[in-house]
């Protein structure tokens, strides 16, 4: 296969001898060191193939031996290039095409959004567009990591987002925030503490208050009960409703891998193919070290009769990078963490009053971590439905909300 | 090849190359010959080769010389018999 490919690249001529002693020609060709192949006996002579540049020497030998040689055809890349060497337009066209093709890989051609169910794709695309990510955006100018953080701040309904660049296509995978299911107002429920803290204020709209103000509670403690007894001893259940404002203290840690962040991609992408033989990965080229490039090895195993064989083709996608200055990276990491906290506070703590906020920064093993100790006042009421066993009552025992 | 190179080649190869020709038959389809010096006769059904130390005739059907260079050659086809002359 490889030899055939090399022969095609070098070019070859199919020839036929018409008279004379073919064996003498074969031996003379061999003595001269010319490479001939696929020699067959034909009517009155032989038919064979010879390298494109050796054909003239073959003619000289044949002339010396008084053998007529007929050129049947010539094939291969070299004859093709030589045939069209004066057609500059053709080569210029190919060159321009290749240049345009390589230039086109620096632009986003398509954006696909995946994972969204409630948030319309158009809204996500429109926010991304405002951040400078849209079709035909110049890829090397975009810091996808930074843009992802900014997009998450702008789209609080999303809890997570990743942007994968696949060639000229951008794949945006999102995860929507899941809110706890709303309990139907006709369903009896208790109110428990959603977080551990000290209760500062209770406003009960329905149900029986079980804990007083300024009492500490642990997550899950019952605060407003659904069950109550009437004067005549009948057990009734209501759909409890209350506002429980408590002082809660908790930590939030956000960290960034500075080693990853320091990579400044050159914009080049290189593909090297190789083979996977019984688990040994053999590339057909030089693979740079992991310190200077991101290397992704994709394996394409060969299947025979639906069974995977222990060998296959390997594709190494290589994205070289330079390292940014350490100070710059640290500043960038701080900025990313700051944005992440802003997003966290804008979404998770949007209904809370932050009373105190203590920030602690650490840098260890190339990981920059910021721990923030929050003291907040927030509504910790959490409605929980009653167990089936506990709720063993007749339907008339339920009194609706209010 | 100049004299100096030939001398080097001779010195280098004396120890590792056998003074005899090598004939390798793979199934009845392929025949590899190392140390073939010339083709004496060539037909569809027989090829007579002069080797370093002897002459052989390969008989078969649709015989074709797949490649030929100064040291070796490969014959393909349906080989039925090899005769050492």
């Amino acid at each position: 296969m490889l030899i055939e490919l090399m022969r095609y690249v070098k070019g070859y001529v199919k020839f036929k001898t018409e008279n004379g002693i073919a064996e003498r020609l074969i031996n003379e060709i061999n003595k001269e060191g010319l490479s001939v192949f696929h020699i067959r006996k034909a009517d009155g002579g032989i038919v064979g193939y010879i390298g494109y540049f050796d054909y003239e020497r073959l003619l000289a030998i044949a002339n010396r031996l008084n053998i007529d040689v007929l050129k049947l055809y010539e094939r291969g890349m070299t004859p093709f290039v030589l045939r069209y060497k004066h057609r500059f337009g053709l080569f210029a066209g190919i060159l321009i095409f290749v240049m345009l093709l390589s230039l086109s890989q620096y632009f986003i051609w398509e954006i696909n959004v995946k994972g969204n169910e409630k948030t319309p794709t158009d809204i996500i695309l429109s926010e991304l567009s405002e951040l400078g990510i849209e079709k035909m955006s110049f890829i090397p100018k975009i810091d996808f990591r930074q843009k992802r953080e900014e997009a998450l701040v702008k789209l609080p309904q999303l809890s997570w987002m990743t942007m994968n660049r696949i060639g000229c296509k951008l794949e945006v995978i999102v995860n929507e925030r899941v809110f706890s299911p709303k309990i139907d107002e006709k369903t009896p429920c208790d109110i428990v503490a959603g977080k551990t803290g000290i209760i500062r204020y209770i406003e009960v709209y329905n149900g029986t208050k079980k804990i007083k103000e300024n009492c500490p509670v642990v997550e899950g403690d019952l605060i407003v009960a659904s069950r109550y007894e009437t004067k005549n001893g009948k057990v009734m259940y209501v759909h409890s409703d209350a506002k429980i404002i408590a002082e809660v203290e908790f930590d939030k840690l956000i960290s960034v891998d500075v080693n990853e962040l320091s990579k400044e991609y050159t914009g080049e992408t290189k593909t090297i193919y190789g083979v996977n033989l019984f688990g040994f990965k053999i590339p057909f080229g030089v693979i740079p070290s992991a310190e200077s490039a991101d290397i992704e090895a994709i394996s394409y195993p060969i299947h025979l009769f639906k069974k995977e064989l222990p060998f296959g083709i390997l594709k190494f996608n290589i994205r070289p990078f330079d390292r940014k200055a350490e100070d710059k990276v640290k500043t960038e990491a701080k900025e990313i963490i700051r944005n992440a906290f802003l997003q966290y506070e804008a979404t998770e703590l949007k209904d809370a009053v932050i009373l105190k906020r203590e920030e602690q920064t650490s840098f260890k093993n190339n990981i920059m971590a910021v721990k923030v100790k929050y003291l907040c006042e927030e509504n910790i009421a959490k409605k929980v439905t009653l167990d089936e066993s506990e709720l063993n009552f007749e339907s008339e025992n339920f009194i609706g909300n209010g | 090849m100049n004299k100096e190179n030939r001398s080097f080649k001779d010195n280098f190869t004396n120890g590792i190359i056998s003074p005899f020709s090598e004939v390798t038959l793979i199934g009845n389809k392929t025949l590899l010959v190392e140390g073939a010096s010339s083709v004496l006769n060539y037909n569809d059904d027989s090829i007579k080769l002069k080797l370093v130390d002897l002459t052989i005739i390969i008989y078969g059907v649709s015989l074709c010389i797949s490649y030929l260079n100064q040291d070796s050659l490969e014959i393909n086809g349906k080989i039925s018999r090899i005769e050492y002359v």
Side-chain angles (χ1 to χ4, degrees):
Chain A
M1 176 74 182
L2 198 62
I3 291 170
E4 294 292 325
L5 185 70
M6 283 168 68
R7 279 175 184 162
Y8 185 81
V9 171
K10 284 168 75 177
Y12 56 85
V13 175
K14 187 175 182 180
F15 66 92
K16 188 183 175 190
T17 62
E18 294 258 292
N19 49 36
I21 304 164
E23 289 82 357
R24 282 187 67 197
L25 181 70
I26 294 171
N27 290 329
E28 284 300 313
I29 289 169
N30 197 16
K31 270 184 201 163
E32 294 275 332
L34 306 183
S35 173
V36 284
F37 49 95
H38 297 318
I39 305 165
R40 281 188 182 280
K41 192 80 182 169
D43 299 335
I46 55 163
V47 174
Y49 297 83
I50 189 162
Y52 182 76
F53 291 110
D54 291 339
Y55 182 67
E56 290 299 320
R57 286 171 70 192
L58 169 75
L59 287 180
I61 295 167
N63 196 28
R64 208 168 61 222
L65 299 173
N66 285 326
I67 297 173
D68 291 335
V69 173
L70 191 69
K71 187 197 258 189
L72 297 179
Y73 59 75
E74 55 186 39
R75 294 273 191 280
M77 203 177 279
T78 308
F80 176 83
V81 172
L82 292 174
R83 200 180 307 145
Y84 296 107
K85 67 179 177 185
H86 297 298
R87 299 195 177 180
F88 299 111
L90 181 72
F91 292 106
I94 293 171
L95 192 70
I96 290 167
F97 175 74
V98 170
M99 280 171 68
L100 284 176
L101 200 66
S102 47
L103 192 69
S104 71
Q105 69 180 344
Y106 292 109
F107 295 91
I108 296 173
W109 285 79
E110 194 183 344
I111 303 174
N112 285 340
V113 180
K114 286 181 183 172
N116 56 322
E117 285 177 6
K118 290 173 189 166
T119 316
T121 302
D122 291 345
I123 288 183
I124 297 171
L125 288 177
S126 137
E127 290 295 343
L128 289 176
S129 174
E130 278 183 27
L131 294 170
I133 300 175
E134 54 192 335
K135 281 183 186 175
M136 298 313 290
S137 295
F138 189 54
I139 293 170
K141 286 270 176 194
I142 302 170
D143 182 347
F144 286 104
R145 198 181 278 121
Q146 182 75 25
K147 295 294 175 190
R148 186 189 64 197
E149 300 297 332
E150 287 175 24
L152 280 174
V153 173
K154 286 194 163 199
L155 295 160
Q157 61 270 47
L158 303 180
S159 65
W160 175 79
M161 176 188 277
T162 188
M163 294 179 188
N164 299 324
R165 191 192 141 198
I166 308 161
C168 296
K169 199 167 87 174
L170 185 70
E171 187 183 58
V172 181
I173 302 172
V174 298
N175 198 359
E176 288 174 334
R177 202 171 292 281
V178 179
F179 297 97
S180 54
K182 205 171 180 181
I183 299 168
D184 193 294
E185 287 194 353
K186 287 177 183 171
T187 309
C189 65
D190 287 335
I191 289 180
V192 297
K195 285 180 180 175
T196 301
I198 301 164
I199 294 173
R200 294 297 182 208
Y201 173 71
I202 302 179
E203 198 176 303
V204 178
Y205 308 120
N206 206 7
T208 314
K209 186 164 109 175
K210 292 284 181 187
I211 289 177
K212 290 179 182 173
E213 277 89 345
N214 297 320
C215 276
V217 283
V218 178
E219 187 180 345
D221 279 357
L222 180 67
I223 299 173
V224 178
S226 158
R227 185 178 188 277
Y228 77 98
E229 278 186 35
T230 57
K231 282 176 187 173
N232 52 11
K234 204 174 175 184
V235 177
M236 304 295 284
Y237 292 89
V238 294
H239 175 92
S240 304
D241 196 9
K243 189 179 186 180
I244 319 288
I245 302 296
E247 236 179 64
V248 289
E249 202 178 64
F250 57 94
D251 294 339
K252 175 78 183 169
L253 179 83
I254 296 178
S255 57
V256 166
D257 186 347
V258 174
N259 194 39
E260 277 295 311
L261 199 64
S262 67
K263 293 174 183 173
E264 192 167 36
Y265 292 97
T266 56
E268 286 176 46
T269 49
K270 200 175 156 191
T271 305
I272 291 178
Y273 287 90
V275 285
N276 186 359
L277 291 176
F278 302 97
F280 291 101
K281 293 175 178 175
I282 305 161
F284 296 147
V286 181
I287 302 284
S289 75
E291 275 302 302
S292 60
D294 276 353
I295 302 151
E296 181 194 21
I298 305 164
S299 182
Y300 299 99
I302 294 169
H303 290 84
L304 187 69
F305 302 116
K306 293 183 181 174
K307 285 200 170 179
E308 193 178 307
L309 299 177
F311 49 84
I313 295 165
L314 273 178
K315 188 179 169 188
F316 295 91
N317 287 331
I318 297 164
R319 290 180 69 202
F321 57 77
D322 299 322
R323 291 278 182 195
K324 294 180 202 166
E326 198 180 330
D327 291 349
K328 193 182 166 191
V329 178
K330 282 186 178 172
T331 314
E332 210 174 301
K334 277 181 190 166
E335 185 63 22
I336 288 171
I337 294 173
R338 196 182 70 84
N339 280 336
F341 271 109
L342 279 178
Q343 191 214 346
Y344 173 72
E345 286 167 15
T347 54
E348 301 289 322
L349 305 180
K350 66 174 185 225
D351 298 323
V353 178
I354 298 169
L355 303 173
K356 203 173 160 191
R357 190 181 185 281
E358 278 176 26
E359 205 172 289
Q360 203 179 357
T361 308
S362 65
F363 185 74
K364 201 177 174 184
N365 297 332
N366 278 328
I367 304 284
M368 179 174 278
V370 175
K371 190 163 92 174
V372 175
K373 200 169 194 173
Y374 285 101
L375 180 67
C376 296
E377 250 186 22
E378 62 175 290
N379 186 4
I380 60 163
K382 186 182 172 187
K383 290 181 180 179
V384 286
T385 49
L386 306 176
D387 288 343
E388 286 289 328
S389 54
E390 197 182 341
L391 202 60
N392 191 12
F393 67 98
E394 292 173 8
S395 59
E396 58 263 28
N397 287 3
F398 172 68
I399 301 172
N401 199 6
Chain B
M1 192 183 285
N2 63 35
K3 197 175 175 183
E4 198 176 312
N5 281 348
R6 186 179 288 278
S7 163
F8 172 76
K9 189 186 172 185
D10 289 346
N11 290 336
F12 183 73
T13 56
N14 271 345
I16 53 169
I17 292 184
S18 162
F20 303 106
S21 304
E22 283 183 26
V23 179
T24 312
L25 183 64
I26 303 167
N28 67 339
K29 296 278 185 334
T30 305
L31 183 87
L32 301 168
V33 183
E34 297 276 341
S37 65
S38 59
V39 179
L40 300 177
N41 190 14
Y42 181 28
N43 284 304
D44 253 1
D45 52 1
S46 71
I47 299 174
K48 190 174 181 181
L49 298 175
K50 171 103 178 68
L51 309 187
V52 176
D53 47 345
L54 64 146
T55 303
I56 62 167
I57 307 171
I58 299 115
Y59 293 96
V61 181
S62 303
L63 297 178
C64 156
I65 299 175
S66 293
Y67 74 80
L68 172 70
N69 60 36
Q70 283 169 313
D71 296 322
S72 60
L73 66 84
E74 182 184 313
I75 294 169
N76 285 101
K78 196 175 175 184
I79 298 160
S80 57
R81 190 155 57 94
I82 302 170
E83 194 176 295
Y84 290 80
V85 182

